[in-house]
Amino acid sequence: MLCCICKEKNATVHLTQITGDKMQKVDLCEECARSKGVNDQTGFSLADLLLGLGASQELESTGGLETRCPKCGFTHSDFKKSGRLGCSECYVTFAEGLGGLLKSMHKGTRHIGKVPESLRTRRDLTEQLSTLQKKLNKAIETENFELAAVLRDEIRQLNSRLASANA
Amino acid sequence: MNLDKFLIPASESVRRKGPNDRIVMSSRVRLARNIKDAAFPGWAKKPERVRVLEIIRPAVEGLSEMKDGFSETMDNLTALEKQILVERHLISREHAAKSAGSGLVINPEETLAVMINEEDHLRMQALRPGLQIRQAWQALDRLDSELEQKLDYAFSNDLGYLTACPTNLGTGIRVSAMLHLPGLVLAEQINPIIQSVNKLGLAVRGLYGEGTEALGNVFQVSNQMTLGETETSIVERLEKVLAQIIEHEENARASLLEKKPKMVFNHIGRAYGILANAHCISSKETMNLLSLLRLGVEIGLFPKTDGALVDELFILTQPAHLQKTHSEKLSAEERDLLRADMLRERLKPVSRPVAKPGNSTASGLDKSDKS
């Protein structure tokens, strides 16, 4: 494979770059990689390399300079160095800056795939509960107390199931 | 546990068959998972990594699929053993660099491999010979569903499975196939194919995944995006693209044999000549030439040769596998000599390629040769 810049030497550095919704593979020889700053440890951001140019700035632009994950102590400059986050809580800490990043690298920004069974149960129960609660409110409004009593029992039952699912 | 005794011998593992395995050497699906309340491996300090390993390892070992499997911590494996696992595609190069606080569990069939504390707490993969990404996904989905009952995964309703790198967020899935595409390379059609595959949001990589070059005309195609799409639709999209690449490769081979048979036979004949007669040969040259030999077997130039031999040599001539057969540490030059010895010996029963394949329409000179 030839270097795609000088088209002379063999490519030994291989990068995949994502810019907007476009993905580009770059194969560089060592010299061109150095001249582009890829091998320069100090002047180069791995986050930019991994996640597309401008990724590190994007995270930086939110929350001021010293945003630190309260859970693991990770900062955005750590992100800039490694292109990776510190812990699962970091997704909350750096949520604002990550939004644009995720948009540019993925098909969507909301997960629509697999959900762990236990969470699925919890989510389903929560949804059922909110529907029942609405029905109950309506029943009380219309003074249908017989129905309200039935609904109240159902809600009680679901609540205890939810409590055991959370345990 | 002794890794050498555990691993299926190369001569056996190359005999496993799968659909379309002339072109698709193997299919793989991996899932990235992390547990709650622990920093990701790259940020966690050693005691935390050890703690996570001690939670996850027994959970994985206890899975029914992992019964009688291989389980070890990375600090208990030698550099050579780790490299062998990389050459067998059972662990990543990144994982081979890990030591205390990281671990590995493999099932006896070598179809499931779980890396603990690689980039994420869990990197599980399912492997199948040939084109079987759907089957690999189903197997891994089952493993994951069993494991989620024992471990508390880091999961968000909006973002899905939370991973160390945002590129894996959501499903945490990477679906990939390893393709042998000598036809497209010889026909000089590989670059436009790679470009159009890239445009579809899929990545094309070399033999050992991320950041590696394509050796032996072997390419890895995989999905890039993991969020905002279901696992099934990712699998289906890759299946569609793979079907097209397979068709292009078949077409490239057929048209080369029709239009430039001499060019193809020349490459294959020279590859055979060097492999069967060299006294010093690098791993890279070996792979590139074995690729041509494999093509030769497939188009009928070596009617009496079993293609499995070529695939076996593909594994056995790699540095760590070669080193394994010798007790003293070999230098790169010594390996090149021993590699050549092994190739000459193993290719002795393989007779020279026939002038043209018996059942092919290929005949005459290349059109370009006539001028």
Side-chain angles (χ1 to χ4, degrees), chain A residues 19-77:
Chain A
T19 324
D21 56 353
K22 289 206 180 80
M23 210 147 321
Q24 205 180 5
K25 224 184 139 236
V26 195
D27 307 286
L28 309 169
C29 70
E30 236 163 284
E31 248 166 70
C32 291
R34 205 173 304 124
S35 73
K36 292 277 158 195
V38 176
N39 286 359
D40 182 359
Q41 295 291 327
T42 49
F44 187 73
S45 154
L46 194 60
D48 286 345
L49 208 170
L50 285 169
L51 313 173
L53 290 172
S56 56
Q57 280 91 330
E58 192 141 1
L59 209 60
E60 213 157 357
S61 63
T62 62
L65 264 169
E66 273 317 301
T67 310
R68 189 176 281 274
C69 176
K71 184 113 181 208
C72 73
F74 195 83
T75 65
H76 64 77
S77 56

Side-chain angles (χ1 to χ4, degrees), chain A residues 20 98-109:
Chain A
L98 279 169
L101 204 63
L102 295 177
K103 211 175 198 168
S104 69
M105 71 171 77
H106 291 296
K107 195 149 200 167
T109 51

Side-chain angles (χ1 to χ4, degrees), chain A residues 23 86 91 110-111 114 117, chain B residues 40 141 144 148 158 163 224:
Chain A
M23 210 147 321
Y91 280 99
R110 243 192 101 84
H111 177 62
K114 185 173 180 176
E117 175 77 44
Chain B
F40 298 138
D141 185 25
D144 176 55
E148 74 178 26
D158 285 341
T163 52
Q224 202 79 298

